[in-house]
Amino acid sequence: MGSDKIFVTRPFLPPLEEFLPYLERIWQSGRLTNGGPYHKEFETTLAEYLGVPHVCLFTNATIALVTALQALRITGEVITTPYSFVATAHSLLWNGVKPVFVDVDPCTLNLDPGKIEAAITPQTTAILPVHCYGHPCNVERIQRIADVYNLRVIYDAAHAFGVTDRDGSILKHGDLSILSFHATKVYNTFEGGAIVCPDRKSKERIDFLKNFGFADETTVVATGINGKMSEFNAALGLLQLKYIEHVLARRRHIDAAYRKGLSGIAGIECLPRQSEGRSNFAYFPILVNKEFPLDRDALYQCLLERNIHARRYFYPLISEFPMYRGLPSAQRENIPVAHAAADRILCLPIYPDLDSACLQHIIDAIRSVAAQTSAPAPVPAPLSTAVSA
Ligand SMILES: Cc1ncc(COP(=O)(O)O)c(C=O)c1O
């Protein structure tokens, strides 16, 4: 460990020698993309593993999000969260749709269902929530609102690979769910993504859309894009599935070790565990509250000096970026919980190969900062106070 940098994540890769036979088969077949044999096999195997009806593979989740909105012909305004990676809202702008930011719930940091209805206007056509950190949204309440107002629901499930609730896969909720297989995610195909959809008809439309709109050799039925996953990524996806249970077990172990190691440190708050179903332990977010002697940014710097590269996901909020900050819904007073979270969140390193020495180094670093620094720094009030303020 010593002077090596510890990053917030490190992609899981299977042994190289196990990937080589897949490459040989690609070279033999000469099929590199456009729905080749690995693509077909991966779509079926992945749908089975996830326990979902249909999967459409994509080159990445951003193009999948853009395509999902196209597939459902979403227009006007869409209600979404400011507390996410910027691709969530960018997918709306790429479709000429106006994002309407609604605040998040202080426990889960997911879109607060209690605040959605007040943001609905005659122009609203859909809700785009995010299962942030892989933690399930309140899917029942969101669906009830969508049913009353006749809205579509598209879940950005980029963080939620393999997550279940009491009814099975979290990806079965809403009209469509979008996964990311980016290198930084729980499960990666180098780059990649998918749309989970409920029936053959919607799969067919999405498959046309991700292939320039081609329905057959000479017929173009929509203004499609090139969102296809290559054989190379699909082959890796198949091999990665063989290791997913190991990956999830390691993450569960690290999550438990952090919770134990950080317990009792005043001002360090771990986000609550998912109450039911299976978690994927995609991130390990902590909130740095006012009882901690340093504010979040000072702790972030202290960790950097110890070669620990934690990340402030999601700071700044999407609503702070230039293309969004002029929107009325982006104003700070409309989204106080999201701002309070963005100001104190820190995601600690979590990945399968994070060994116990590194893990202990991170826990010790936070403990030693807590012990050494005596004078409390001026930091904002806890999230619950910010909500009521
Ligand atoms: C919530 C969320 N949505 C969308 C994306 C975009 O995923 P991709 O990198 O596969 O395009 C990410 C990626 O980090 C994300 O975290």
Side-chain angles (χ1 to χ4, degrees):
M1 191 244 316
S3 60
D4 288 352
K5 290 180 177 164
I6 307 173
F7 293 105
V8 73
T9 192
R10 199 158 133 181
F12 177 81
L13 283 172
L16 179 59
E17 61 274 19
E18 291 187 24
F19 193 46
L20 297 179
Y22 289 81
L23 292 182
E24 278 163 12
R25 261 173 265 145
I26 293 175
W27 257 250
Q28 279 157 13
S29 74
R31 295 288 301 274
L32 308 186
T33 186
N34 288 5
Y38 280 132
H39 186 283
K40 285 200 180 77
E41 186 184 344
F42 184 34
E43 274 196 343
T44 316
T45 314
L46 185 61
E48 271 168 28
Y49 172 76
L50 294 171
V52 298
H54 296 283
V55 166
C56 307
L57 296 172
F58 272 79
T59 185
N60 61 55
T62 306
I63 297 290
L65 277 165
V66 170
T67 307
L69 294 160
Q70 286 276 322
L72 299 180
R73 299 183 172 85
I74 301 300
T75 57
E77 296 178 3
V78 169
I79 289 170
T80 191
T81 167
Y83 193 83
S84 179
F85 184 63
V86 72
T88 309
H90 276 2
S91 70
L92 296 171
L93 289 199
W94 273 87
N95 277 286
V97 170
K98 181 176 167 187
V100 175
F101 296 113
V102 163
D103 210 356
V104 295
D105 175 281
C107 290
T108 61
L109 305 183
N110 285 330
L111 201 56
D112 185 341
K115 295 184 179 154
I116 292 176
E117 282 189 85
I120 295 173
T121 74
Q123 283 71 50
T124 310
T125 56
I127 310 172
L128 175 58
V130 178
H131 299 298
C132 192
Y133 308 131
H135 200 116
C137 291
N138 190 332
V139 289
E140 278 95 18
R141 278 188 74 188
I142 290 173
Q143 194 58 54
R144 271 203 297 278
I145 297 166
D147 289 344
V148 169
Y149 292 90
N150 193 24
L151 305 176
R152 300 294 205 143
V153 182
I154 300 171
Y155 281 103
D156 181 339
H159 302 171
F161 187 92
V163 173
T164 65
D165 61 12
R166 63 171 177 267
D167 300 323
S169 175
I170 195 71
L171 306 170
K172 287 193 289 194
H173 295 281
D175 294 280
L176 299 173
S177 288
I178 287 75
L179 286 165
S180 171
F181 310 143
H182 183 254
T184 54
K185 299 294 187 284
V186 164
Y187 168 87
N188 83 81
T189 59
F190 289 178
E191 289 267 7
I195 299 181
V196 171
C197 58
D199 52 59
R200 283 204 173 282
K201 202 157 166 252
S202 40
K203 173 160 172 56
E204 187 181 65
R205 176 163 164 77
I206 293 165
D207 284 344
F208 293 161
L209 280 168
K210 77 172 191 194
N211 187 26
F212 312 96
F214 276 107
D216 60 36
E217 208 176 316
T218 52
T219 317
V220 174
V221 294
T223 321
I225 199 161
N226 183 359
K228 293 174 270 106
M229 177 181 272
S230 80
E231 285 292 278
F232 184 80
N233 303 96
L236 183 66
L238 279 166
L239 181 54
Q240 292 280 46
L241 275 184
K242 299 190 172 148
Y243 287 90
I244 187 66
E245 296 309 321
H246 159 75
V247 165
L248 294 174
R250 283 291 306 151
R251 288 179 169 275
R252 173 181 291 113
H253 170 79
I254 294 163
D255 178 281
Y258 269 135
R259 285 178 192 275
K260 193 166 169 225
L262 298 174
S263 72
I265 305 181
I268 296 294
E269 180 186 341
C270 301
L271 258 63
R273 279 206 181 102
Q274 196 177 316
S275 56
E276 54 188 7
R278 183 168 89 151
S279 175
N280 67 2
F281 310 97
Y283 296 82
F284 195 82
I286 57 169
L287 291 164
V288 184
N289 288 331
K290 73 172 185 341
E291 298 81 17
F292 196 74
L294 297 183
D295 68 11
R296 188 275 314 275
D297 288 340
L299 175 60
Y300 167 78
Q301 283 303 333
C302 278
L303 295 179
L304 269 185
E305 284 156 21
R306 290 162 170 81
N307 280 328
I308 302 161
H309 292 241
R311 293 295 299 267
R312 292 165 287 186
Y313 300 138
F314 286 100
Y315 165 85
L317 295 177
I318 300 177
S319 47
E320 294 289 284
F321 293 122
M323 58 298 288
Y324 301 105
R325 64 184 172 220
L327 293 169
S329 65
Q331 302 317 299
R332 198 180 176 99
E333 60 275 18
N334 294 327
I335 42 178
V337 183
H339 272 281
D343 288 346
R344 64 198 68 184
I345 199 79
L346 197 59
C347 287
L348 300 181
I350 184 165
Y351 50 88
D353 296 337
L354 185 71
D355 62 30
S356 43
C358 288
L359 191 54
Q360 198 55 51
H361 175 60
I362 299 163
I363 293 167
D364 290 348
I366 298 173
R367 282 208 169 274
S368 73
V369 171
Q372 277 165 25
T373 325
S374 48
V379 287
L383 270 192
S384 48
T385 325
V387 189
S388 53

